[in-house]
Amino acid sequence: MGAGDGFRAPAAVISAGLLSVLGLSWFWSLLALLGVYLCSGGWRFLYVAACTIKRDLVGLCILLRVKFFMHHYIRTRSTVPSIFAQRVALHPDKAALVEESTGEVWSFSELDRRSNTVAQWAVAQGWRSGDVVAVFMESRPLMVVLWLGLAKVGVEPALINFNLRRDSLMHCMGVSGARGMVFGAELLDAVLEVKESLSSLSLFCTGSSPAESLDSLSAQNLDDLLASSPDTPPAVTHSKGFNDRLFYIYTSGTTGLPKAAIIVHSRYYRIAAFGYYSFGLGPDDVVYCCLPLYHSAGNIVGVGQCMLHGLTVVIRRKFSASRFWDDCVKYNCTVVQYIGEICRYLLSQPVRPSESRHQVRVAMGNGLRPNVWEDFMKRFNIKRIGEFYGATECNCSLANMDNKVGACGFNSVILPSVYPIRLLRADEDSMELIRDSRGLCVPCKPGEPGIIVGRINPHDPLRRFDGYANQEATNKKISHNVFKQGDSAYVSGDLMVMDELGYVYFRDRGGDTFRWRGENVSTTEVEGILSALLNQTDVAVYGVSVPGVEGKAGMAAIVDVTNDFNCETFLRDVQNALPSYARPVFLRLSPEVDKTGDRNRVMLSFPPYFLCFPQTHTVNNYPKFNGKNAMTNKCFTCIGHC
Ligand SMILES: *[C@@H]1O[C@H](CO)[C@@H](O)[C@H](O)[C@H]1NC(C)=O
Ligand SMILES: *[C@@H]1O[C@H](CO)[C@@H](O)[C@H](O)[C@H]1NC(C)=O
Ligand SMILES: *[C@@H]1O[C@H](CO)[C@@H](O)[C@H](O)[C@H]1NC(C)=O
Ligand SMILES: *[C@@H]1O[C@H](CO)[C@@H](O)[C@H](O)[C@H]1NC(C)=O
């Protein structure tokens, strides 16, 4: 079923016209041609059209609505702070953000005033529109106040993952080009570890921390500075509009080290607005957000509903499976956010009364796998799952707007060109796009896995690709001559399958990252760090699937020619050097590592070890390679737990 089928019906009408010229009546000609059309396979198209027309129309309305607002905001040179100001004027006393850990409620006007103090302080620091300031703290309303305040004067916050330590932290600080850094006192140790590399920045700490630590960093206490800063709107104006930079989010994307993805105001709006309209949210909804605010899911899809649509958002510092439903009941939440792991952790919890007393009707997020999808809806009585797909940095987003089990979105089969997303055939090992004799890419048939790409149209804000702060990283994600000669497209690197009705299902993440505990782990980054710990020996890192667990567990294959690998030291070093999600779960020692070929196969002959395996898993859950159990019980040596 391709785009060609869509043209059969008009063609039939034209030929009916020709036949009627030959003397047959219109009615009989049309009937005859309808018969021919149906016999030639057209009935399938009619069937698909009948099944999907309602969904497509709903999708089209949402698309047009978001486009309309985007064009309006571009014309009026709006920004996220200016749209937020309209919300404040509308309902200054409504609860905007709730801090779960303290129960503190921040009204819209308070959020506005507090962010004014940040803006005034930033100006007093001499920061100007276009300067970058790093924000490194755990998720709480203050973080929102900080980026909002900085954005009010055009300063661009770089939101740093609070799990990062040492090398990866220094890398992110380095590529951000930040002039200053604000950190939470809870992360003081991490900052002290990389003290030397921060010496050229102005540092500010929020929260209580020992004065001598602050002195050794030459850091100032931000809370005092903000308390003495005026809460009136900043006098400084900046010339930023809807397509200018708002902040940076680090994504591991699918290639290499974390990259600073540029979030412009229009992208922030687009991501949040698609979530709002696609999943049927309304102004009275209360969103429960326990996802980290340094990622787009928490800060845009979640907090964006407060900024742009005036919803109340409850922010929890860290996800807790046992408190999840209690919190939802306590704060009358009607919308929750998830990643696949959260749903599974919740399902594995014992039954508690709050799980049926809550008023949650929508769960929105990504990574809910089909095998737990229905159990999740049934057990917790959730009416609607808003699964979506979309890389922070790309425009090829999809959303499941009609509760179809297992799908992360759809593209219209009737009019596929309305939304220029395609699945293209790719080599499943190298994840390279396959090209035909003319050098163009080959679209997938229904049921055929392929890489999802989005056509780039630099003039349409919906289809812009703002890229990464680093130009080279941007170029890696753009492919040319994709649909026709001379065009370009964003290549996501994610493997998807589309069914006959146009529903899209997630298959696998390509490139050199894998997903573990809701985070992308970059194999090249972990390889670099492990190799540095081991005096630059060769290391290969890859993800292996473990039955019953989302994502892939990290496997590190380490060259050990001389047999002097010291496991205890290594384990300790790894815990210091890597955030918990990036630490390899399995370890292989082998005389050599092939870093280019099919890594999994090359190293099968050497026994793997558990390096730090979560206690909840049994030895029976061993990884599979190429669909076969690659290891047997006797290969495992349990070294430690994590
Ligand atoms: C939740 O709703 C109940 C009943 O409508 C109300 O009494 C309570 O104050 C609400 N709680 C919060 C935190 O808004
Ligand atoms: C992981 O990578 C995917 C694909 O680029 C992206 O959509 C997603 O936002 C990333 N997630 C995190 C937590 O960085
Ligand atoms: C994705 O981003 C590119 C780059 O700007 C844009 O041209 C393209 O149209 C976008 N695709 C979609 C489906 O929005
Ligand atoms: C690291 O490797 C170099 C060269 O391979 C060797 O000379 C040096 O002794 C090694 N250092 C340690 C601490 O093993």
Side-chain angles (χ1 to χ4, degrees):
M1 190 68 47
D5 293 309
F7 296 111
R8 264 188 225 161
V13 175
I14 293 167
S15 3
L18 289 178
L19 284 183
S20 69
V21 170
L22 297 179
L24 290 162
S25 81
W26 268 97
F27 177 77
W28 288 109
S29 320
L30 275 175
L31 201 63
L33 276 152
L34 185 63
V36 172
Y37 174 65
L38 292 181
C39 292
S40 70
W43 65 272
R44 281 226 63 89
F45 180 76
L46 292 183
Y47 166 75
V48 168
C51 291
T52 59
I53 185 126
K54 183 163 164 253
R55 171 198 75 182
D56 290 2
L57 286 177
V58 170
L60 187 65
C61 289
I62 292 170
L63 189 67
L64 293 176
R65 205 151 164 189
V66 175
K67 277 198 177 206
F68 169 80
F69 280 114
M70 300 221 7
H71 286 293
H72 169 72
Y73 288 137
I74 287 175
R75 244 194 5 261
T76 53
R77 291 190 66 76
S78 300
T79 58
V80 171
S82 74
I83 301 172
F84 174 72
Q86 297 170 7
R87 296 291 145 193
V88 177
L90 219 56
H91 39 61
D93 299 324
K94 182 177 175 181
L97 299 177
V98 179
E99 180 158 16
E100 191 283 329
S101 57
T102 59
E104 196 182 344
V105 180
W106 305 50
S107 68
F108 276 84
S109 62
E110 188 180 356
L111 196 55
D112 190 41
R113 282 197 311 274
R114 299 278 287 261
S115 58
N116 285 342
T117 66
V118 172
Q120 299 269 15
W121 157 76
V123 172
Q125 293 305 310
W127 295 332
R128 295 287 170 265
S129 180
D131 285 343
V132 178
V133 172
V135 176
F136 184 54
M137 64 172 63
E138 289 185 354
S139 305
R140 53 198 140 120
L142 183 65
M143 179 169 170
V144 179
V145 166
L146 276 167
W147 73 249
L148 180 63
L150 292 171
K152 280 186 172 176
V153 287
V155 175
E156 297 159 7
L159 309 180
I160 311 270
N161 181 332
F162 58 71
N163 290 300
L164 298 184
R165 297 292 179 270
R166 294 174 195 245
D167 287 356
S168 38
L169 178 57
M170 282 180 332
H171 168 82
C172 283
M173 288 301 300
V175 297
S176 71
R179 295 189 54 183
M181 179 193 209
V182 178
F183 62 93
E186 68 277 10
L187 297 172
L188 181 65
D189 290 340
V191 175
L192 285 169
E193 279 171 5
V194 297
K195 192 165 116 182
E196 278 73 37
S197 66
L198 302 176
S199 54
S200 61
L201 306 182
S202 0
L203 299 181
F204 302 89
C205 176
T206 163
S208 60
S209 51
E212 60 275 17
S213 311
L214 291 192
D215 286 345
S216 81
L217 284 166
S218 339
Q220 300 177 56
N221 185 319
L222 179 70
D223 303 326
D224 295 345
L225 293 170
L226 292 186
S228 60
S229 167
D231 66 1
T232 48
V236 180
T237 52
H238 60 82
S239 58
K240 287 199 170 180
F242 205 47
N243 277 329
D244 292 314
R245 296 178 180 198
L246 171 61
F247 55 55
Y248 300 91
I249 282 190
Y250 289 81
T251 68
S252 29
T254 43
T255 45
L257 283 162
K259 287 178 280 290
I262 302 164
I263 307 295
V264 296
H265 294 264
S266 59
R267 177 164 306 270
Y268 190 96
Y269 176 80
R270 187 177 67 86
I271 296 175
F274 267 123
Y276 184 80
Y277 296 115
S278 301
F279 309 138
L281 307 191
D284 295 328
D285 277 315
V286 178
V287 180
Y288 181 66
C289 171
C290 55
L291 302 181
L293 296 187
Y294 55 78
H295 278 157
S296 47
N299 208 339
I300 309 185
V301 181
V303 170
Q305 307 310 338
C306 165
M307 293 287 131
L308 306 172
H309 300 110
L311 276 60
T312 303
V313 176
V314 179
I315 297 180
R316 195 187 160 91
R317 274 202 197 195
K318 280 187 179 154
F319 163 72
S320 155
S322 57
R323 297 293 317 280
F324 192 89
W325 298 115
D326 294 344
D327 286 349
C328 290
V329 170
K330 182 168 169 199
Y331 295 106
N332 296 337
C333 297
T334 54
V335 178
V336 294
Q337 289 190 271
Y338 66 82
I339 53 171
E341 289 80 355
I342 285 185
C343 302
R344 200 171 44 78
Y345 295 150
L346 291 175
L347 276 173
S348 65
Q349 288 284 308
V351 174
R352 63 187 78 236
S354 55
E355 71 179 51
S356 50
R357 289 211 329 266
H358 63 78
Q359 305 162 40
V360 174
R361 59 187 180 86
V362 181
M364 56 182 187
N366 56 37
L368 186 54
R369 294 294 161 246
N371 55 347
V372 297
W373 191 296
E374 280 172 298
D375 292 347
F376 184 79
M377 288 181 79
K378 219 179 266 151
R379 172 166 165 189
F380 301 117
N381 190 24
I382 307 286
K383 303 272 176 330
R384 182 158 180 181
I385 299 288
E387 171 84 8
F388 61 86
Y389 164 82
T392 304
E393 65 279 18
C394 107
N395 39 3
C396 49
S397 7
L398 295 171
N400 180 339
M401 300 180 183
D402 60 348
N403 231 350
K404 169 86 176 177
V405 172
C408 62
F410 69 93
N411 196 12
S412 171
V413 174
I414 309 172
L415 276 178
S417 51
V418 169
Y419 199 63
I421 274 194
R422 292 290 178 282
L423 298 191
L424 300 178
R425 277 197 213 166
D427 180 310
E428 287 202 30
D429 287 326
S430 67
M431 286 291 187
E432 294 287 333
L433 293 173
I434 294 175
R435 291 181 181 267
D436 64 12
S437 54
R438 292 166 304 160
L440 300 181
C441 295
V442 190
C444 292
K445 297 201 178 67
E448 220 176 50
I451 284 186
I452 184 159
V453 307
R455 192 183 306 155
I456 293 176
N457 173 359
H459 304 298
D460 179 345
L462 273 176
R463 320 256 194 74
R464 281 163 51 103
F465 175 63
D466 304 299
Y468 302 105
N470 169 341
Q471 189 56 38
E472 197 188 329
T474 302
N475 293 342
K476 264 178 142 176
K477 292 299 244 184
I478 307 275
S479 207
H480 297 281
N481 302 332
V482 176
F483 302 103
K484 58 180 195 299
Q485 299 294 340
D487 69 356
S488 56
Y490 172 90
V491 181
S492 67
D494 290 329
L495 207 58
M496 306 273 200
V497 183
M498 188 185 281
D499 70 10
E500 212 181 16
L501 299 182
Y503 287 103
V504 177
Y505 303 84
F506 188 84
R507 248 308 168 77
D508 205 354
R509 169 143 289 140
D512 55 5
T513 62
F514 55 87
R515 215 167 151 80
W516 182 241
R517 301 194 182 162
E519 299 277 352
N520 293 327
V521 181
S522 155
T523 57
T524 43
E525 183 186 355
V526 177
E527 280 166 5
I529 290 173
L530 296 187
S531 170
L533 292 178
L534 295 167
N535 195 16
Q536 308 302 338
T537 50
D538 274 348
V539 178
V541 172
Y542 50 94
V544 292
S545 35
V546 178
V549 182
E550 277 94 40
K552 293 201 169 170
M555 168 79 81
I558 293 171
V559 176
D560 183 32
V561 189
T562 49
N563 258 325
D564 59 358
F565 178 78
N566 181 333
C567 202
E568 274 90 285
T569 328
F570 180 68
L571 188 60
R572 199 195 53 228
D573 291 347
V574 164
Q575 280 167 349
N576 285 330
L578 287 170
S580 60
Y581 60 83
R583 293 175 200 150
V585 171
F586 300 104
L587 190 63
R588 281 170 185 281
L589 300 178
S590 60
E592 65 175 332
V593 165
D594 179 349
K595 296 188 72 160
T596 53
D598 178 351
R599 298 169 181 186
N600 299 349
R601 203 160 41 226
V602 171
M603 285 167 303
L604 276 189
S605 44
F606 304 100
Y609 300 93
F610 283 127
L611 182 59
C612 60
F613 205 57
Q615 262 146 342
T616 46
H617 302 132
T618 66
V619 169
N620 290 334
N621 287 339
Y622 15 82
K624 286 193 163 75
F625 295 129
N626 303 328
K628 289 189 287 290
N629 270 342
M631 298 187 267
T632 57
N633 284 356
K634 66 176 190 295
C635 296
F636 286 111
T637 310
C638 210
I639 298 172
H641 284 295
C642 55

